[in-house]
Amino acid sequence: MKPFQLTHKTALVTGGASGIGRAIAETFAKNGARVVILDFNETQAKEVVEAFKAEGLELQYIICDVSKAEEIQQIVDDIASQNKIDILVNNAGVAHVGNIENTTEADLDRIYSINIKGVYNCVKAVIKHMKGNNGVIINMASIASSVGISDRFAYSMSKGAVLTMTYSIAKDYVDQGIRCNSISPARVHTPFVDGFIAKNYPDNQKEMFEKLSKTQPLGRMGKPAEIAHLALYLASDEASFITGTDFPIDGGFIKLNG
Ligand SMILES: NC(=O)c1ccc[n+]([C@@H]2O[C@H](COP(=O)([O-])OP(=O)(O)OC[C@H]3O[C@@H](n4cnc5c(N)ncnc54)[C@H](O)[C@@H]3O)[C@@H](O)[C@H]2O)c1
């Protein structure tokens, strides 16, 4: 059998309607998984699932907000009543630019509720269904989880928490056969990055794109498919000896800058 196959496995991918999550949903489906995208952008989710259908891939989407605990619990219980949930990818996340002085309390609460509580809600909803079932949880952290990135106070706070929640969950559930790891990308070229440049640097978008590309020593941004293939490996049985670990995928950002 080919390695890295997810045949007969059910995978939930939050934020699967765009960017990295979309690539993960596609890669998992191409390697045999039954994928359910959980996303709050209905237009995009529909478009993505239709595009996959044209490629012969059957994926489902459910519209939801990961920051809403009851909504997530209900959706997860419904899915679990039909299929064993094997994989959860906590990928939904939002960005924020600012230092502590220009980050408002409302900004902080918003980033907390999606990037941190979203992970908490999804893991809390899924974990009871995964016990004793070789469940796999993959959290999308960031290089901002472990190194200082300027002007990213709230975002770094949230991604630091994603990293440490990963360690905590991995430790608490290692005896129940659940593996939990995180991925820490540097900049990846997605709508997340395009939106950030358009909003913050409307007059010099091309120049900013070049500048952001060069902050990775490899001289470019990552591609969503590159992150998706790491996620595929971590979700597969070939990674069954890996838990409680963070995987930077960063074009050399953490170790080679400076
Ligand atoms: N792109 C990068 O450079 C980069 C780098 C490091 C980490 N990350 C992380 O990777 C993840 C994906 O980033 P991306 O660049 O693909 O982003 P993206 O904006 O392209 O996609 C994010 C998706 O999450 C969904 N989403 C946002 N909030 C949600 C909510 N409350 N409930 C349900 N769905 C929600 C959006 O609708 C969207 O489809 C994020 O967690 C981000 O922090 C991205």
Side-chain angles (χ1 to χ4, degrees):
M1 202 174 97
K2 272 181 12 183
F4 319 125
Q5 296 304 291
L6 304 180
T7 317
H8 305 310
K9 297 196 186 217
T10 299
L12 313 188
V13 181
T14 73
S18 174
I20 296 171
R22 175 185 174 147
I24 292 174
E26 180 176 15
T27 304
F28 281 18
K30 280 185 173 160
N31 287 280
R34 191 183 300 113
V35 176
V36 184
I37 289 172
L38 304 181
D39 203 292
F40 70 1
N41 188 329
E42 179 149 26
T43 317
Q44 232 166 267
K46 212 172 182 174
E47 199 182 297
V48 162
V49 167
E50 271 162 20
F52 289 152
K53 210 177 214 166
E55 288 180 53
L57 297 171
E58 282 294 333
L59 290 91
Q60 241 185 293
Y61 71 85
I62 298 175
I63 297 309
C64 61
D65 182 340
V66 293
S67 69
K68 304 273 187 295
E70 275 179 36
E71 190 179 311
I72 294 300
Q73 185 70 64
Q74 187 61 54
I75 288 167
V76 166
D77 288 346
D78 284 352
I79 297 170
S81 69
Q82 292 160 35
N83 290 299
K84 177 162 84 72
I85 299 174
D86 302 285
I87 302 158
L88 166 66
V89 183
N90 282 306
N91 165 79
V94 287
H96 180 263
V97 176
N99 61 23
I100 194 163
E101 288 174 283
N102 50 37
T103 298
T104 65
E105 205 179 332
D107 292 333
L108 196 74
D109 288 347
R110 180 169 159 271
I111 297 299
Y112 169 79
S113 72
I114 300 173
N115 293 7
I116 300 180
K117 230 167 146 196
V119 173
Y120 162 81
N121 289 337
C122 293
V123 175
K124 195 159 183 181
V126 153
I127 204 110
K128 66 173 187 242
H129 301 295
M130 280 188 169
K131 287 184 191 172
N133 277 332
N134 298 319
V136 176
I137 298 168
I138 299 169
N139 296 327
M140 204 51 67
S142 161
I143 50 165
S145 301
S146 53
V147 296
I149 308 283
S150 31
D151 248 1
R152 297 289 185 286
F153 175 74
Y155 185 72
S156 300
M157 172 264 320
S158 72
K159 291 299 179 179
V162 172
L163 176 68
T164 50
M165 284 191 285
T166 301
Y167 296 150
S168 172
I169 293 162
K171 182 106 181 169
D172 286 342
Y173 294 94
V174 67
D175 292 340
Q176 320 247 17
I178 296 172
R179 297 191 293 112
C180 181
N181 294 294
S182 55
I183 296 177
S184 282
R187 262 180 207 102
V188 180
H189 188 202
T190 68
F192 185 92
V193 170
D194 290 337
F196 161 78
I197 295 177
K199 185 174 164 209
N200 295 286
Y201 307 94
D203 301 329
N204 52 344
Q205 296 191 36
K206 196 164 173 275
E207 206 181 314
M208 210 49 212
F209 187 87
E210 291 296 308
K211 195 174 163 202
L212 293 181
S213 297
K214 291 200 174 109
T215 55
Q216 284 71 229
L218 278 177
R220 64 170 174 89
M221 296 189 196
K223 298 173 191 162
E226 291 170 327
I227 313 302
H229 282 95
L230 175 55
L232 174 66
Y233 169 61
L234 290 174
S236 73
D237 291 343
E238 278 70 19
S240 57
F241 198 48
I242 300 178
T243 193
T245 301
D246 180 56
F247 289 81
I249 174 162
D250 67 354
F253 188 97
I254 293 177
K255 298 285 190 192
L256 308 186
N257 267 335

